Amino acid sequence: MKKTILSILLASTVLFACNAKGTAEASKDSAKDAASKDTTTTTKPASKADISYAVGMALGKSVKDTGIELDYNAFLQGFKDNMESKKLKLTDEQASSYIQEAIAKAQEKKAADNKAKETRFMEDNGKKPGVKTTASGLQYEVISEGTGLKPQATDTVKVHYTGTLMDGTKFDSSIDRGEPATFPLDQVIPGWTEGIQLMSVGSKYKLYIPSSLAYGESGAGGVIPPNSPLIFEVELLGIEK
């Protein structure tokens, strides 16, 4: 347990390389074609500098994802001391403790920053023409109104949807999968349960769900950051009986 975080950071170098390998393999054929057309092209072997830079890229990506801010001189000194088997200033236990503490603080800061952004976003969005706000804080916009029945919270519904974050990043889409989603309405996030009950079958709405009606301060699965409002464009296809 003491070495878990350090191990993850180091293992990420291998993971980074494995992910990159897929891209390299996919482009191998086109590279061969290009080489066959230009016989002067040669592949330069990776130098020590190239490999060193690649390792730095992989470690840098992992550390960046944690949100930790680094003193680069101290970082490089620690890296060098370990690589050269010099006497280290910290024990493994101390290093793990410092890293865990830094990650926790970085996550707290990110959550606070997201909360401020969410507040501004929801306030500004609620002032836009056509956007309505319910008592819970859910906001919605009617894109097109259907003529069918409205579901109850205990119903199972079939929908097509696309979900994005407030910066426009798409995190999920039944349309991209090519298959509608079917689920009991009382077994999803509160924003969905409330929002879809406003819709008649055949309707298409845009739901702006505050984090309090979604995944809150915890976020979800590394995909939804903490304190993130979710934006869904939803088409209610039917109520399953």
Side-chain angles (χ1 to χ4, degrees):
M1 180 64 183
K2 296 291 186 181
K3 299 183 181 180
T4 299
I5 295 178
L6 293 173
S7 299
I8 289 173
L9 293 179
L10 294 174
S12 67
T13 306
V14 177
L15 180 61
F16 182 92
C18 290
N19 289 339
K21 183 180 178 183
T23 303
E25 292 293 334
S27 61
K28 187 179 291 184
D29 291 340
S30 59
K32 286 181 179 178
D33 291 342
S36 65
K37 293 177 182 177
D38 183 2
T39 55
T40 63
T41 301
T42 57
T43 302
K44 186 181 85 170
S47 66
K48 184 177 180 180
D50 292 332
I51 295 169
S52 300
Y53 188 83
V55 172
M57 281 176 60
L59 289 175
K61 184 179 187 309
S62 294
V63 175
K64 182 180 179 181
D65 288 345
T66 68
I68 296 177
E69 295 181 1
L70 295 179
D71 177 323
Y72 292 123
N73 290 331
F75 170 80
L76 291 173
Q77 188 62 55
F79 190 87
K80 185 177 179 182
D81 287 350
N82 215 329
M83 291 292 291
E84 296 178 357
S85 300
K86 292 183 178 179
K87 183 177 180 179
L88 302 177
K89 296 180 180 180
L90 303 173
T91 65
D92 287 346
E93 289 76 11
Q94 288 174 316
S96 256
S97 176
Y98 289 168
I99 291 171
Q100 290 179 38
E101 181 182 352
I103 290 176
K105 287 182 178 179
Q107 290 175 338
E108 288 174 5
K109 182 179 183 302
K110 185 174 183 179
D113 290 345
N114 280 353
K115 189 61 181 177
K117 290 178 183 177
E118 176 186 28
T119 299
R120 290 194 298 271
F121 175 83
M122 297 301 290
E123 286 178 352
D124 292 342
N125 191 68
K127 298 173 184 176
K128 292 179 180 178
V131 175
K132 299 178 182 179
T133 304
T134 70
S136 70
L138 172 71
Q139 295 176 357
Y140 67 96
E141 181 180 356
V142 178
I143 299 174
S144 60
E145 193 67 78
T147 58
L149 298 173
K150 290 185 177 182
Q152 303 293 316
T154 53
D155 286 333
T156 294
V157 297
K158 179 184 287 186
V159 302
H160 254 320
Y161 68 91
T162 296
T164 58
L165 302 176
M166 59 181 162
D167 65 359
T169 301
K170 180 164 62 174
F171 60 85
D172 194 12
S173 174
S174 65
I175 297 172
D176 289 351
R177 292 193 296 272
E179 184 177 359
T182 302
F183 50 82
L185 202 49
D186 59 359
Q187 294 183 24
V188 289
I189 59 174
W192 271 77
T193 305
E194 179 184 354
I196 294 180
Q197 287 185 84
L198 300 172
M199 303 173 65
S200 302
V201 173
S203 296
K204 192 172 187 179
Y205 280 23
K206 198 165 188 178
L207 304 178
Y208 304 89
I209 303 176
S211 61
S212 59
L213 300 176
Y215 296 100
E217 296 179 354
S218 300
V223 178
I224 310 297
N227 294 328
S228 289
L230 305 180
I231 303 159
F232 288 97
E233 193 165 292
V234 186
E235 183 179 6
L236 180 56
L237 303 175
I239 301 171
E240 303 288 296
K241 298 297 183 182

PDB file of all heavy atoms in Angstrom, residues 197-229:
ATOM      1  N   GLN A 197     -39.405  13.139 -17.026  1.00  0.00           N
ATOM      2  CA  GLN A 197     -40.841  13.174 -16.705  1.00  0.00           C
ATOM      3  C   GLN A 197     -41.529  14.429 -17.254  1.00  0.00           C
ATOM      4  O   GLN A 197     -42.756  14.468 -17.378  1.00  0.00           O
ATOM      5  CB  GLN A 197     -41.050  13.097 -15.192  1.00  0.00           C
ATOM      6  CG  GLN A 197     -40.792  11.722 -14.594  1.00  0.00           C
ATOM      7  CD  GLN A 197     -41.124  11.680 -13.122  1.00  0.00           C
ATOM      8  OE1 GLN A 197     -42.278  11.484 -12.733  1.00  0.00           O
ATOM      9  NE2 GLN A 197     -40.108  11.873 -12.292  1.00  0.00           N
ATOM     10  N   LEU A 198     -40.748  15.431 -17.591  1.00  0.00           N
ATOM     11  CA  LEU A 198     -41.315  16.644 -18.185  1.00  0.00           C
ATOM     12  C   LEU A 198     -41.658  16.442 -19.655  1.00  0.00           C
ATOM     13  O   LEU A 198     -42.411  17.220 -20.243  1.00  0.00           O
ATOM     14  CB  LEU A 198     -40.309  17.807 -18.069  1.00  0.00           C
ATOM     15  CG  LEU A 198     -39.872  18.216 -16.660  1.00  0.00           C
ATOM     16  CD1 LEU A 198     -38.742  19.236 -16.755  1.00  0.00           C
ATOM     17  CD2 LEU A 198     -41.053  18.798 -15.895  1.00  0.00           C
ATOM     18  N   MET A 199     -41.115  15.389 -20.258  1.00  0.00           N
ATOM     19  CA  MET A 199     -41.194  15.198 -21.707  1.00  0.00           C
ATOM     20  C   MET A 199     -42.339  14.268 -22.098  1.00  0.00           C
ATOM     21  O   MET A 199     -42.637  13.297 -21.415  1.00  0.00           O
ATOM     22  CB  MET A 199     -39.874  14.608 -22.220  1.00  0.00           C
ATOM     23  CG  MET A 199     -38.644  15.433 -21.896  1.00  0.00           C
ATOM     24  SD  MET A 199     -37.076  14.605 -22.335  1.00  0.00           S
ATOM     25  CE  MET A 199     -37.230  14.524 -24.138  1.00  0.00           C
ATOM     26  N   SER A 200     -42.956  14.579 -23.226  1.00  0.00           N
ATOM     27  CA  SER A 200     -43.906  13.658 -23.857  1.00  0.00           C
ATOM     28  C   SER A 200     -43.142  12.797 -24.852  1.00  0.00           C
ATOM     29  O   SER A 200     -42.118  13.223 -25.402  1.00  0.00           O
ATOM     30  CB  SER A 200     -44.995  14.443 -24.596  1.00  0.00           C
ATOM     31  OG  SER A 200     -45.684  15.311 -23.725  1.00  0.00           O
ATOM     32  N   VAL A 201     -43.621  11.581 -25.077  1.00  0.00           N
ATOM     33  CA  VAL A 201     -42.976  10.717 -26.064  1.00  0.00           C
ATOM     34  C   VAL A 201     -42.929  11.435 -27.409  1.00  0.00           C
ATOM     35  O   VAL A 201     -43.921  12.010 -27.855  1.00  0.00           O
ATOM     36  CB  VAL A 201     -43.719   9.376 -26.195  1.00  0.00           C
ATOM     37  CG1 VAL A 201     -43.156   8.554 -27.349  1.00  0.00           C
ATOM     38  CG2 VAL A 201     -43.629   8.585 -24.890  1.00  0.00           C
ATOM     39  N   GLY A 202     -41.766  11.402 -28.031  1.00  0.00           N
ATOM     40  CA  GLY A 202     -41.568  12.109 -29.295  1.00  0.00           C
ATOM     41  C   GLY A 202     -40.892  13.449 -29.122  1.00  0.00           C
ATOM     42  O   GLY A 202     -40.497  14.082 -30.102  1.00  0.00           O
ATOM     43  N   SER A 203     -40.731  13.879 -27.858  1.00  0.00           N
ATOM     44  CA  SER A 203     -40.097  15.175 -27.572  1.00  0.00           C
ATOM     45  C   SER A 203     -38.577  15.064 -27.613  1.00  0.00           C
ATOM     46  O   SER A 203     -37.990  13.991 -27.409  1.00  0.00           O
ATOM     47  CB  SER A 203     -40.501  15.683 -26.187  1.00  0.00           C
ATOM     48  OG  SER A 203     -41.871  15.929 -26.113  1.00  0.00           O
ATOM     49  N   LYS A 204     -37.971  16.209 -27.861  1.00  0.00           N
ATOM     50  CA  LYS A 204     -36.521  16.318 -27.783  1.00  0.00           C
ATOM     51  C   LYS A 204     -36.210  17.544 -26.929  1.00  0.00           C
ATOM     52  O   LYS A 204     -36.617  18.662 -27.278  1.00  0.00           O
ATOM     53  CB  LYS A 204     -35.904  16.452 -29.174  1.00  0.00           C
ATOM     54  CG  LYS A 204     -34.401  16.279 -29.217  1.00  0.00           C
ATOM     55  CD  LYS A 204     -33.923  16.227 -30.670  1.00  0.00           C
ATOM     56  CE  LYS A 204     -32.443  15.876 -30.744  1.00  0.00           C
ATOM     57  NZ  LYS A 204     -31.973  15.795 -32.154  1.00  0.00           N
ATOM     58  N   TYR A 205     -35.519  17.331 -25.810  1.00  0.00           N
ATOM     59  CA  TYR A 205     -35.191  18.405 -24.879  1.00  0.00           C
ATOM     60  C   TYR A 205     -33.679  18.485 -24.694  1.00  0.00           C
ATOM     61  O   TYR A 205     -32.949  17.514 -24.946  1.00  0.00           O
ATOM     62  CB  TYR A 205     -35.789  18.147 -23.495  1.00  0.00           C
ATOM     63  CG  TYR A 205     -37.256  18.486 -23.317  1.00  0.00           C
ATOM     64  CD1 TYR A 205     -38.142  18.549 -24.379  1.00  0.00           C
ATOM     65  CD2 TYR A 205     -37.770  18.737 -22.041  1.00  0.00           C
ATOM     66  CE1 TYR A 205     -39.478  18.840 -24.200  1.00  0.00           C
ATOM     67  CE2 TYR A 205     -39.113  19.038 -21.840  1.00  0.00           C
ATOM     68  CZ  TYR A 205     -39.970  19.090 -22.925  1.00  0.00           C
ATOM     69  OH  TYR A 205     -41.299  19.396 -22.735  1.00  0.00           O
ATOM     70  N   LYS A 206     -33.249  19.632 -24.206  1.00  0.00           N
ATOM     71  CA  LYS A 206     -31.879  19.774 -23.749  1.00  0.00           C
ATOM     72  C   LYS A 206     -31.939  19.992 -22.245  1.00  0.00           C
ATOM     73  O   LYS A 206     -32.571  20.943 -21.776  1.00  0.00           O
ATOM     74  CB  LYS A 206     -31.189  20.950 -24.442  1.00  0.00           C
ATOM     75  CG  LYS A 206     -29.667  20.910 -24.365  1.00  0.00           C
ATOM     76  CD  LYS A 206     -29.055  21.882 -25.373  1.00  0.00           C
ATOM     77  CE  LYS A 206     -27.547  21.720 -25.444  1.00  0.00           C
ATOM     78  NZ  LYS A 206     -26.957  22.626 -26.461  1.00  0.00           N
ATOM     79  N   LEU A 207     -31.339  19.080 -21.495  1.00  0.00           N
ATOM     80  CA  LEU A 207     -31.347  19.151 -20.036  1.00  0.00           C
ATOM     81  C   LEU A 207     -30.004  19.666 -19.533  1.00  0.00           C
ATOM     82  O   LEU A 207     -28.944  19.175 -19.952  1.00  0.00           O
ATOM     83  CB  LEU A 207     -31.615  17.773 -19.433  1.00  0.00           C
ATOM     84  CG  LEU A 207     -32.884  17.044 -19.871  1.00  0.00           C
ATOM     85  CD1 LEU A 207     -32.946  15.669 -19.199  1.00  0.00           C
ATOM     86  CD2 LEU A 207     -34.123  17.858 -19.552  1.00  0.00           C
ATOM     87  N   TYR A 208     -30.053  20.639 -18.644  1.00  0.00           N
ATOM     88  CA  TYR A 208     -28.854  21.171 -17.997  1.00  0.00           C
ATOM     89  C   TYR A 208     -28.948  20.771 -16.525  1.00  0.00           C
ATOM     90  O   TYR A 208     -29.704  21.363 -15.754  1.00  0.00           O
ATOM     91  CB  TYR A 208     -28.788  22.685 -18.141  1.00  0.00           C
ATOM     92  CG  TYR A 208     -28.837  23.176 -19.573  1.00  0.00           C
ATOM     93  CD1 TYR A 208     -30.057  23.437 -20.196  1.00  0.00           C
ATOM     94  CD2 TYR A 208     -27.662  23.381 -20.298  1.00  0.00           C
ATOM     95  CE1 TYR A 208     -30.110  23.886 -21.513  1.00  0.00           C
ATOM     96  CE2 TYR A 208     -27.710  23.842 -21.614  1.00  0.00           C
ATOM     97  CZ  TYR A 208     -28.936  24.090 -22.199  1.00  0.00           C
ATOM     98  OH  TYR A 208     -28.980  24.537 -23.513  1.00  0.00           O
ATOM     99  N   ILE A 209     -28.188  19.747 -16.150  1.00  0.00           N
ATOM    100  CA  ILE A 209     -28.345  19.134 -14.837  1.00  0.00           C
ATOM    101  C   ILE A 209     -27.226  19.589 -13.907  1.00  0.00           C
ATOM    102  O   ILE A 209     -26.049  19.302 -14.159  1.00  0.00           O
ATOM    103  CB  ILE A 209     -28.332  17.597 -14.958  1.00  0.00           C
ATOM    104  CG1 ILE A 209     -29.437  17.133 -15.914  1.00  0.00           C
ATOM    105  CG2 ILE A 209     -28.499  16.951 -13.593  1.00  0.00           C
ATOM    106  CD1 ILE A 209     -29.432  15.645 -16.177  1.00  0.00           C
ATOM    107  N   PRO A 210     -27.559  20.300 -12.826  1.00  0.00           N
ATOM    108  CA  PRO A 210     -26.507  20.705 -11.879  1.00  0.00           C
ATOM    109  C   PRO A 210     -25.906  19.484 -11.197  1.00  0.00           C
ATOM    110  O   PRO A 210     -26.541  18.428 -11.109  1.00  0.00           O
ATOM    111  CB  PRO A 210     -27.263  21.592 -10.885  1.00  0.00           C
ATOM    112  CG  PRO A 210     -28.684  21.163 -10.977  1.00  0.00           C
ATOM    113  CD  PRO A 210     -28.902  20.728 -12.387  1.00  0.00           C
ATOM    114  N   SER A 211     -24.690  19.638 -10.707  1.00  0.00           N
ATOM    115  CA  SER A 211     -23.991  18.493 -10.108  1.00  0.00           C
ATOM    116  C   SER A 211     -24.741  17.927  -8.912  1.00  0.00           C
ATOM    117  O   SER A 211     -24.634  16.737  -8.604  1.00  0.00           O
ATOM    118  CB  SER A 211     -22.574  18.895  -9.685  1.00  0.00           C
ATOM    119  OG  SER A 211     -22.606  19.935  -8.717  1.00  0.00           O
ATOM    120  N   SER A 212     -25.524  18.769  -8.233  1.00  0.00           N
ATOM    121  CA  SER A 212     -26.304  18.293  -7.078  1.00  0.00           C
ATOM    122  C   SER A 212     -27.356  17.276  -7.491  1.00  0.00           C
ATOM    123  O   SER A 212     -27.839  16.495  -6.662  1.00  0.00           O
ATOM    124  CB  SER A 212     -26.980  19.475  -6.372  1.00  0.00           C
ATOM    125  OG  SER A 212     -27.849  20.165  -7.265  1.00  0.00           O
ATOM    126  N   LEU A 213     -27.734  17.267  -8.775  1.00  0.00           N
ATOM    127  CA  LEU A 213     -28.699  16.302  -9.303  1.00  0.00           C
ATOM    128  C   LEU A 213     -28.018  15.264 -10.194  1.00  0.00           C
ATOM    129  O   LEU A 213     -28.682  14.509 -10.904  1.00  0.00           O
ATOM    130  CB  LEU A 213     -29.796  17.018 -10.099  1.00  0.00           C
ATOM    131  CG  LEU A 213     -30.632  18.050  -9.330  1.00  0.00           C
ATOM    132  CD1 LEU A 213     -31.618  18.737 -10.276  1.00  0.00           C
ATOM    133  CD2 LEU A 213     -31.373  17.387  -8.178  1.00  0.00           C
ATOM    134  N   ALA A 214     -26.667  15.256 -10.131  1.00  0.00           N
ATOM    135  CA  ALA A 214     -25.906  14.307 -10.954  1.00  0.00           C
ATOM    136  C   ALA A 214     -24.928  13.542 -10.059  1.00  0.00           C
ATOM    137  O   ALA A 214     -25.343  12.746  -9.231  1.00  0.00           O
ATOM    138  CB  ALA A 214     -25.195  15.054 -12.082  1.00  0.00           C
ATOM    139  N   TYR A 215     -23.621  13.827 -10.198  1.00  0.00           N
ATOM    140  CA  TYR A 215     -22.622  13.045  -9.465  1.00  0.00           C
ATOM    141  C   TYR A 215     -21.915  13.833  -8.367  1.00  0.00           C
ATOM    142  O   TYR A 215     -20.949  13.341  -7.779  1.00  0.00           O
ATOM    143  CB  TYR A 215     -21.604  12.454 -10.449  1.00  0.00           C
ATOM    144  CG  TYR A 215     -22.242  11.477 -11.402  1.00  0.00           C
ATOM    145  CD1 TYR A 215     -22.580  11.862 -12.703  1.00  0.00           C
ATOM    146  CD2 TYR A 215     -22.543  10.180 -10.998  1.00  0.00           C
ATOM    147  CE1 TYR A 215     -23.194  10.973 -13.580  1.00  0.00           C
ATOM    148  CE2 TYR A 215     -23.152   9.285 -11.859  1.00  0.00           C
ATOM    149  CZ  TYR A 215     -23.475   9.685 -13.153  1.00  0.00           C
ATOM    150  OH  TYR A 215     -24.087   8.810 -14.009  1.00  0.00           O
ATOM    151  N   GLY A 216     -22.384  15.053  -8.096  1.00  0.00           N
ATOM    152  CA  GLY A 216     -21.939  15.815  -6.938  1.00  0.00           C
ATOM    153  C   GLY A 216     -20.449  16.057  -6.832  1.00  0.00           C
ATOM    154  O   GLY A 216     -19.755  16.234  -7.840  1.00  0.00           O
ATOM    155  N   GLU A 217     -19.968  16.046  -5.595  1.00  0.00           N
ATOM    156  CA  GLU A 217     -18.566  16.356  -5.317  1.00  0.00           C
ATOM    157  C   GLU A 217     -17.623  15.212  -5.675  1.00  0.00           C
ATOM    158  O   GLU A 217     -16.414  15.408  -5.767  1.00  0.00           O
ATOM    159  CB  GLU A 217     -18.387  16.683  -3.830  1.00  0.00           C
ATOM    160  CG  GLU A 217     -19.140  17.932  -3.374  1.00  0.00           C
ATOM    161  CD  GLU A 217     -18.956  18.215  -1.898  1.00  0.00           C
ATOM    162  OE1 GLU A 217     -18.325  17.359  -1.222  1.00  0.00           O
ATOM    163  OE2 GLU A 217     -19.417  19.265  -1.425  1.00  0.00           O
ATOM    164  N   SER A 218     -18.171  14.032  -5.895  1.00  0.00           N
ATOM    165  CA  SER A 218     -17.325  12.862  -6.161  1.00  0.00           C
ATOM    166  C   SER A 218     -16.984  12.708  -7.640  1.00  0.00           C
ATOM    167  O   SER A 218     -15.932  12.164  -7.981  1.00  0.00           O
ATOM    168  CB  SER A 218     -18.020  11.590  -5.673  1.00  0.00           C
ATOM    169  OG  SER A 218     -18.267  11.667  -4.289  1.00  0.00           O
ATOM    170  N   GLY A 219     -17.879  13.170  -8.523  1.00  0.00           N
ATOM    171  CA  GLY A 219     -17.668  12.896  -9.939  1.00  0.00           C
ATOM    172  C   GLY A 219     -17.977  11.432 -10.221  1.00  0.00           C
ATOM    173  O   GLY A 219     -18.559  10.733  -9.387  1.00  0.00           O
ATOM    174  N   ALA A 220     -17.539  10.948 -11.372  1.00  0.00           N
ATOM    175  CA  ALA A 220     -17.831   9.556 -11.726  1.00  0.00           C
ATOM    176  C   ALA A 220     -16.769   8.967 -12.637  1.00  0.00           C
ATOM    177  O   ALA A 220     -16.519   9.476 -13.732  1.00  0.00           O
ATOM    178  CB  ALA A 220     -19.191   9.459 -12.410  1.00  0.00           C
ATOM    179  N   GLY A 221     -16.138   7.917 -12.148  1.00  0.00           N
ATOM    180  CA  GLY A 221     -15.271   7.076 -12.966  1.00  0.00           C
ATOM    181  C   GLY A 221     -14.154   7.765 -13.712  1.00  0.00           C
ATOM    182  O   GLY A 221     -13.694   7.278 -14.737  1.00  0.00           O
ATOM    183  N   GLY A 222     -13.691   8.912 -13.231  1.00  0.00           N
ATOM    184  CA  GLY A 222     -12.638   9.610 -13.945  1.00  0.00           C
ATOM    185  C   GLY A 222     -13.117  10.291 -15.209  1.00  0.00           C
ATOM    186  O   GLY A 222     -12.338  10.947 -15.893  1.00  0.00           O
ATOM    187  N   VAL A 223     -14.411  10.136 -15.521  1.00  0.00           N
ATOM    188  CA  VAL A 223     -14.972  10.745 -16.727  1.00  0.00           C
ATOM    189  C   VAL A 223     -15.683  12.046 -16.387  1.00  0.00           C
ATOM    190  O   VAL A 223     -15.561  13.043 -17.109  1.00  0.00           O
ATOM    191  CB  VAL A 223     -15.962   9.775 -17.416  1.00  0.00           C
ATOM    192  CG1 VAL A 223     -16.592  10.424 -18.638  1.00  0.00           C
ATOM    193  CG2 VAL A 223     -15.242   8.491 -17.810  1.00  0.00           C
ATOM    194  N   ILE A 224     -16.439  12.039 -15.290  1.00  0.00           N
ATOM    195  CA  ILE A 224     -17.161  13.225 -14.835  1.00  0.00           C
ATOM    196  C   ILE A 224     -16.378  13.845 -13.682  1.00  0.00           C
ATOM    197  O   ILE A 224     -16.276  13.250 -12.618  1.00  0.00           O
ATOM    198  CB  ILE A 224     -18.585  12.869 -14.351  1.00  0.00           C
ATOM    199  CG1 ILE A 224     -19.328  12.013 -15.379  1.00  0.00           C
ATOM    200  CG2 ILE A 224     -19.356  14.140 -14.016  1.00  0.00           C
ATOM    201  CD1 ILE A 224     -19.567  12.684 -16.695  1.00  0.00           C
ATOM    202  N   PRO A 225     -15.800  15.029 -13.859  1.00  0.00           N
ATOM    203  CA  PRO A 225     -15.066  15.671 -12.770  1.00  0.00           C
ATOM    204  C   PRO A 225     -16.000  16.049 -11.624  1.00  0.00           C
ATOM    205  O   PRO A 225     -17.221  16.136 -11.811  1.00  0.00           O
ATOM    206  CB  PRO A 225     -14.480  16.929 -13.436  1.00  0.00           C
ATOM    207  CG  PRO A 225     -14.508  16.655 -14.907  1.00  0.00           C
ATOM    208  CD  PRO A 225     -15.718  15.797 -15.113  1.00  0.00           C
ATOM    209  N   PRO A 226     -15.452  16.284 -10.436  1.00  0.00           N
ATOM    210  CA  PRO A 226     -16.296  16.705  -9.311  1.00  0.00           C
ATOM    211  C   PRO A 226     -16.960  18.045  -9.588  1.00  0.00           C
ATOM    212  O   PRO A 226     -16.410  18.894 -10.282  1.00  0.00           O
ATOM    213  CB  PRO A 226     -15.305  16.814  -8.145  1.00  0.00           C
ATOM    214  CG  PRO A 226     -13.959  16.965  -8.786  1.00  0.00           C
ATOM    215  CD  PRO A 226     -14.033  16.189 -10.056  1.00  0.00           C
ATOM    216  N   ASN A 227     -18.172  18.202  -9.049  1.00  0.00           N
ATOM    217  CA  ASN A 227     -18.941  19.446  -9.198  1.00  0.00           C
ATOM    218  C   ASN A 227     -19.124  19.857 -10.659  1.00  0.00           C
ATOM    219  O   ASN A 227     -18.949  21.023 -11.016  1.00  0.00           O
ATOM    220  CB  ASN A 227     -18.269  20.582  -8.406  1.00  0.00           C
ATOM    221  CG  ASN A 227     -18.297  20.341  -6.912  1.00  0.00           C
ATOM    222  OD1 ASN A 227     -19.227  19.745  -6.389  1.00  0.00           O
ATOM    223  ND2 ASN A 227     -17.273  20.794  -6.215  1.00  0.00           N
ATOM    224  N   SER A 228     -19.479  18.885 -11.477  1.00  0.00           N
ATOM    225  CA  SER A 228     -19.669  19.162 -12.903  1.00  0.00           C
ATOM    226  C   SER A 228     -21.143  19.099 -13.287  1.00  0.00           C
ATOM    227  O   SER A 228     -21.790  18.066 -13.105  1.00  0.00           O
ATOM    228  CB  SER A 228     -18.914  18.136 -13.761  1.00  0.00           C
ATOM    229  OG  SER A 228     -17.536  18.335 -13.678  1.00  0.00           O
ATOM    230  N   PRO A 229     -21.682  20.187 -13.843  1.00  0.00           N
ATOM    231  CA  PRO A 229     -23.027  20.106 -14.411  1.00  0.00           C
ATOM    232  C   PRO A 229     -22.967  19.295 -15.702  1.00  0.00           C
ATOM    233  O   PRO A 229     -21.948  19.303 -16.393  1.00  0.00           O
ATOM    234  CB  PRO A 229     -23.378  21.573 -14.688  1.00  0.00           C
ATOM    235  CG  PRO A 229     -22.064  22.236 -14.904  1.00  0.00           C
ATOM    236  CD  PRO A 229     -21.091  21.524 -14.012  1.00  0.00           C
TER     237      PRO A 229
END
